Amino acid sequence: MTDATAEAWLEKAHILSEALPYMQRYEGKVVVVKYGGHAMGDDKLAAQFARDIVLLKQVGINVIVVHGGGPQIGSMLERLAIESEFKGGLRVTDKATVEVVEMVLAGKINGEVVTAINQAGGKAVGLSGKDAKLIVAEKMHKTVQDSDSNIERVLDLGFVGEPAKVNPDVLKVLLGSALIPVIAPIGVSEDGHTYNINADTAAGAIAGALNAKRLLMLTDVRGVLDKDGNLLTNITPADAEALIKDGTISGGMIPKIETCLEARAAGSEAAVILDGRVPHAVLLELFTEHGAGSLIG
């Protein structure tokens, strides 16, 4: 063995040794990972993600994956020549569309994520929010303000829903085993209707219901940035509200922050927004001192 090779192996051993206290911190705890964005569309990142999830389970972390799939839904609707209507920038999900959404999320994408984790040596099992009434949904009521009259009007988005209740019993059974739950964000109403739920929202509701140690939300941005473009690594709820009020947090980051705050209020210890495009982002966040994203706790 050359000196360079020996040094490389010693560096790897040092990294593993440094990770030990963080592994102990999360052993036996629940970590909910929202998987989506660019990381899902890149084969190399997807394979790394699957391997990292298996590693989390191997060291005793009760990991749950909740995946999205917006771009894939759009592609399938185009292939089937189903035209989408948009209101207030949001897709209206009619009966034909929600059938496609369920087919893509609970079928194609869920199966792909499960297969990737199993290929990496894990034992993943696919679920949707409809299984065992995991996510009881209700119709989402979205309002927009008319720019001319400043009058608020309610948008009817069809079968777009939000969690009304999470029944985590089936997850508690699975978490006590070697299985890794992989959840498609589809919910069912009390009267049996299927609803498409935003994956961030579904992950946040599940994390809150299970009192998760961490909710990790993989995105296509570094995290929350200040006005100078610097990453904010630790944010309190009061900080988050102030950053929204002064415009530092804006656009699509606002609902993500709101989801994190709701998960925390419901019982999750903390939530983290991190860049899923970074290789091994989940491991960097959990097993290193400085983490990899913006922690809201």
Side-chain angles (χ1 to χ4, degrees), residues 192-274:
H193 290 298
T194 298
Y195 281 92
N196 178 23
I197 299 174
N198 177 275
D200 291 348
T201 305
I206 290 169
L210 287 169
N211 298 318
K213 181 75 171 178
R214 287 289 185 274
L215 165 63
L216 304 183
M217 297 179 62
L218 301 188
T219 66
D220 286 342
V221 295
R222 291 168 55 207
V224 181
L225 308 180
D226 65 17
K227 290 186 180 297
D228 296 321
N230 300 309
L231 180 68
L232 298 173
T233 55
N234 287 281
I235 304 170
T236 66
D239 291 337
E241 292 171 4
L243 291 168
I244 291 173
K245 188 174 181 179
D246 71 12
T248 301
I249 296 175
S250 60
M253 185 58 73
I254 293 177
K256 292 184 184 298
I257 292 293
E258 290 175 342
T259 293
C260 292
L261 294 174
E262 289 167 3
R264 186 179 180 280
S268 181
E269 182 180 291
V272 185
I273 296 174
L274 65 160

Side-chain angles (χ1 to χ4, degrees), residues 34-293:
K34 185 269 177 171
Y35 178 46
H38 180 78
M40 284 185 67
D42 184 299
D43 291 341
K44 184 176 180 180
L45 286 175
Q48 289 177 346
F49 173 81
R51 188 177 178 86
D52 292 349
I53 293 298
V54 174
L55 176 59
L56 296 186
K57 188 67 175 181
Q58 190 67 41
V59 299
I61 298 173
N62 291 317
V63 61
I64 297 170
V65 177
V66 181
H67 65 79
Q72 294 91 330
I73 291 169
S75 297
M76 182 60 73
L77 289 171
E78 288 183 10
R79 287 174 59 186
L80 297 176
I82 298 176
E83 293 188 8
S84 296
E85 179 186 359
F86 290 86
K87 293 182 179 180
L90 299 171
R91 189 195 305 273
V92 176
T93 304
D94 58 18
K95 187 170 180 58
T97 301
V98 79
E99 290 176 355
V100 174
V101 168
E102 184 171 13
M103 176 180 68
V104 173
L105 289 178
K108 184 177 186 298
I109 296 176
N110 192 268
E112 289 174 350
V113 177
V114 166
T115 298
I117 293 173
N118 290 342
Q119 287 294 107
K123 295 181 179 179
V125 58
L127 300 169
S128 82
K130 296 174 71 173
D131 292 309
K133 284 192 171 182
L134 172 58
I135 303 176
V136 178
E138 60 185 10
K139 187 181 181 72
M140 187 174 78
H141 298 285
K142 182 73 174 179
T143 61
V144 295
Q145 193 170 53
D146 189 284
S147 58
D148 296 324
S149 63
N150 288 327
I151 297 175
E152 284 194 342
R153 57 190 179 91
V154 178
L155 299 179
D156 185 354
L157 299 174
F159 294 96
V160 175
E162 55 191 359
K165 182 182 179 182
V166 173
N167 297 310
D169 292 346
V170 64
L171 295 179
K172 291 178 180 178
V173 171
L174 294 175
L175 292 175
S177 70
L179 300 176
I180 300 170
V182 177
I183 303 168
I186 299 291
V188 61
S189 65
E190 293 287 6
D191 56 1
H193 290 298
T194 298
Y195 281 92
N196 178 23
I197 299 174
N198 177 275
D200 291 348
T201 305
I206 290 169
L210 287 169
N211 298 318
K213 181 75 171 178
R214 287 289 185 274
L215 165 63
L216 304 183
M217 297 179 62
L218 301 188
T219 66
D220 286 342
V221 295
R222 291 168 55 207
V224 181
L225 308 180
D226 65 17
K227 290 186 180 297
D228 296 321
N230 300 309
L231 180 68
L232 298 173
T233 55
N234 287 281
I235 304 170
T236 66
D239 291 337
E241 292 171 4
L243 291 168
I244 291 173
K245 188 174 181 179
D246 71 12
T248 301
I249 296 175
S250 60
M253 185 58 73
I254 293 177
K256 292 184 184 298
I257 292 293
E258 290 175 342
T259 293
C260 292
L261 294 174
E262 289 167 3
R264 186 179 180 280
S268 181
E269 182 180 291
V272 185
I273 296 174
L274 65 160
D275 192 343
R277 300 169 299 179
V278 174
H280 307 296
V282 170
L283 300 186
L284 290 171
E285 175 57 38
L286 295 180
F287 297 152
T288 63
E289 181 179 356
H290 299 293

